[in-house]
Amino acid sequence: MLIGGEWIEPGGRSTFPTYDPATGKVIAELIEATPADVDAAVRAATGAFGAWADLVPAERARLLLRVADLVEQHADELARLETTDQGQPLAISGGFSIPMVVNQFRYHAGWATKLTGITVDVSVPDVDYRTRREPLGVCGLITPWNFPIMLLAFKLAPALATGNTVVIKPAEQTSLSTLRLAELCLEAGIPAGVVNVVTGGVGKALVDHPGVAKISFTGSTEVGREIGASTGRALKRVSLELGGKAPSVVAADADIDAAVAGNLMGGLLNSGQVCAAYTRFYVARPRADEFVDKLAAGASSQVLGHGLAETTQLGPLVSEEQVALVDGYVRLGEQEGATLVTGGSRAEGDGYFYRPTVFTDVADSMRIAREEIFGPVLSVIPYEDDDELELIARANDTDYGLAAVIWSGEVKVANRLARRIRAGSVYINMPPLLDAAAAWGGFKASGLGRENGWDAIEAFTEVKSIWTAL
């Protein structure tokens, strides 16, 4: 753990293991933090807040750029660490996650010197009125296990750029890259106490701490509801990026080969452990059989293996518990009457591997079509091509609203559907991509607020009005 610029050693304290999900073997023991540790971290962040917030913006920008440079210099090390701890193939950790961390820090470093207020001619005589954006204070950043370092950067970079200090609570399954990033922050020159990390199951203690001004959480909708309730009672600021059940609409005029390739990427990225994973495939009935055949062939051909192996296309699930959860949904799908086309079982050997699974004959009411599985399970649901309104209603018939995709050769149709589908991000003829400048977040039970771009700056600042008698 890192508190006030000091690394806390385990000593005789309680620890918990973190595993390599590709082998099931323990790779490290980490400290099980206590509420007292959370209190110490919040006090350290509080003590560092004044000086950090008062630091001239150009200096904060310089330090964030230095963090970006160090991440880039250690990119291979960080990618291997992320792959070993989380399981995602190097093509993802090295080609997507770590470059995104670099981009987040460079992008938000630019915002540090560009925060502005406004002046308004108010209808009060002899008064000057203006606003300014100010940091919130101590922010609790609670991150998930599927993209640990990348999703931390979504929060950490804008929080620091706007002058906040932070206490980070990474997921217990995948804490190693977070600790290494915190180490690089210190090496970059970010002052002690600005960035603190507590490990273990102390998320509730951080959420409930009276010294925390804001919670930014990415994770399950179930936990997000509890955090929302707690922060609501305390009137704390909160951002929640939660679950999803993204519909993928494949129109009759779609390029099926492109749709299959894009849906395999969007549905199986990180072994389906993605909140925006394409999981419900609404395919125009005349093209459904062709789509199912090609999707199943592509899914069954995926090469499973350790993420460090160059040939690996699909890594393991994050834990034994996640394997059991995914397999439980697969068995449930069979019980509810869906037809299993391929996959549907754990892969032989060590580690937490699960075969990519494709179902057809899926009804909208089935749990595999309604609940977030967070694994490599894809459901194909035909629709009648001439009933656009029914299609939209079915795509929107979900508690979630994080992402959606439309595959069509007709631009007007695709954009008309995009406007009517209730999701925070809608992609047209492409897999789900992200960018530091593009707002990210969901409708309905997929969360509150947005990350990235100007939305992230607003999320970590408050507006102050200043009135001056003339």
Side-chain angles (χ1 to χ4, degrees):
M1 291 191 302
L2 176 65
I3 298 177
E6 299 294 328
W7 291 100
I8 312 300
E9 298 299 327
R13 303 186 50 160
S14 296
T15 61
F16 64 94
T18 185
Y19 298 90
D20 179 343
T23 65
K25 295 180 179 178
V26 175
I27 52 178
E29 291 281 343
L30 300 176
I31 295 174
E32 183 69 68
T34 65
D37 294 317
V38 172
D39 184 62
V42 172
R43 284 189 282 107
T46 301
F49 173 66
W52 179 248
D54 289 341
L55 194 66
V56 294
E59 181 62 12
R60 280 205 306 275
R62 186 189 69 80
L63 291 171
L64 264 65
L65 290 171
R66 177 61 179 150
V67 173
D69 290 344
L70 286 172
V71 170
E72 195 167 57
Q73 290 171 23
H74 293 272
D76 184 66
E77 170 205 343
L78 287 166
R80 289 178 173 277
L81 182 63
E82 190 81 323
T83 290
T84 303
D85 198 24
Q86 197 277 334
Q88 58 191 248
L90 274 177
I92 299 174
S93 61
F96 179 59
S97 295
I98 305 306
M100 181 65 76
V101 174
V102 175
N103 290 341
Q104 286 285 341
F105 276 93
R106 286 181 176 155
Y107 175 83
H108 287 100
W111 274 116
T113 57
K114 298 172 184 66
L115 302 186
T116 61
I118 62 171
T119 60
V120 178
D121 287 331
V122 294
S123 298
V124 180
D126 300 322
V127 166
D128 175 78
Y129 171 83
R130 68 186 188 277
T131 67
R132 55 177 278 117
R133 285 201 169 269
E134 296 188 351
L136 301 172
V138 178
C139 298
L141 313 182
I142 304 178
T143 55
W145 48 254
N146 60 332
F147 287 97
I149 193 171
M150 185 185 82
L151 295 180
L152 171 58
F154 280 26
K155 307 173 187 302
L156 181 59
L160 296 182
T162 50
N164 298 280
T165 56
V166 302
V167 178
I168 303 164
K169 209 297 288 184
E172 292 93 313
Q173 298 91 332
T174 55
S175 300
L176 298 185
S177 60
T178 294
L179 292 166
R180 182 64 177 121
L181 180 58
E183 190 174 31
L184 292 178
C185 286
L186 288 180
E187 184 179 337
I190 291 179
V194 172
V195 175
N196 306 272
V197 183
V198 291
T199 50
V202 288
K204 187 176 188 304
L206 182 58
V207 170
D208 293 343
H209 197 289
V212 173
K214 176 190 171 72
I215 294 293
S216 179
F217 169 78
T218 298
S220 72
T221 294
E222 180 183 9
V223 175
R225 291 185 196 278
E226 295 300 317
I227 291 174
S230 178
T231 54
R233 286 189 296 269
L235 298 179
K236 290 182 183 180
R237 303 294 186 270
V238 64
S239 298
L240 303 172
E241 199 270 273
L242 308 176
K245 194 69 177 176
S248 175
V249 175
V250 182
D253 66 349
D255 180 332
I256 290 294
D257 290 336
V260 167
N263 280 313
L264 284 170
M265 182 181 297
L268 299 180
L269 178 70
N270 202 18
S271 299
Q273 299 170 122
V274 181
C275 50
Y278 300 163
T279 56
R280 296 184 292 145
F281 302 110
Y282 289 97
V283 184
R285 192 171 295 279
R287 310 298 300 276
D289 290 344
E290 178 188 4
F291 181 84
V292 169
D293 290 344
K294 290 183 175 180
L295 185 72
S300 62
S301 69
Q302 296 288 303
V303 178
L304 278 65
H306 198 296
L308 295 178
E310 291 184 2
T311 56
T312 293
Q313 294 175 292
L314 214 64
L317 299 178
V318 77
S319 65
E320 185 68 41
E321 293 79 8
Q322 194 64 19
V323 172
L325 178 69
V326 170
D327 191 63
Y329 272 107
V330 171
R331 304 283 78 81
L332 184 62
E334 291 180 310
Q335 293 168 18
E336 290 185 317
T339 299
L340 180 65
V341 181
T342 189
S345 64
R346 183 172 188 160
E348 295 84 3
D350 297 332
Y352 312 132
F353 293 92
Y354 204 88
R355 291 189 176 88
T357 299
V358 176
F359 277 109
T360 190
D361 299 320
V362 178
D364 293 321
S365 59
M366 292 180 182
R367 288 178 62 186
I368 59 170
R370 302 198 66 81
E371 299 178 16
E372 185 177 44
I373 299 173
F374 233 58
V377 181
L378 312 178
S379 298
V380 180
I381 311 170
Y383 75 92
E384 301 305 327
D385 187 47
D386 60 350
D387 197 339
E388 188 174 296
L389 291 179
E390 180 186 358
L391 169 62
I392 293 166
R394 294 173 70 185
N396 286 335
D397 183 21
T398 172
D399 293 336
Y400 300 105
L402 184 60
V405 63
I406 297 154
W407 304 89
S408 174
E410 177 53 61
V411 174
K412 289 183 179 179
V413 172
N415 279 277
R416 187 166 62 243
L417 290 171
R419 293 187 63 168
R420 293 181 178 178
I421 290 177
R422 299 286 294 166
S425 293
V426 181
Y427 299 90
I428 298 176
N429 296 328
M430 62 183 291
L433 300 180
L434 300 170
D435 188 87
W440 178 250
F443 292 5
K444 299 186 281 188
S446 288
L448 297 173
R450 295 291 183 270
E451 295 184 308
N452 297 340
W454 171 249
D455 296 85
I457 301 304
E458 288 187 319
F460 285 100
T461 56
E462 293 198 88
V463 175
K464 175 182 284 184
S465 294
I466 299 177
W467 300 69
T468 304
L470 301 178

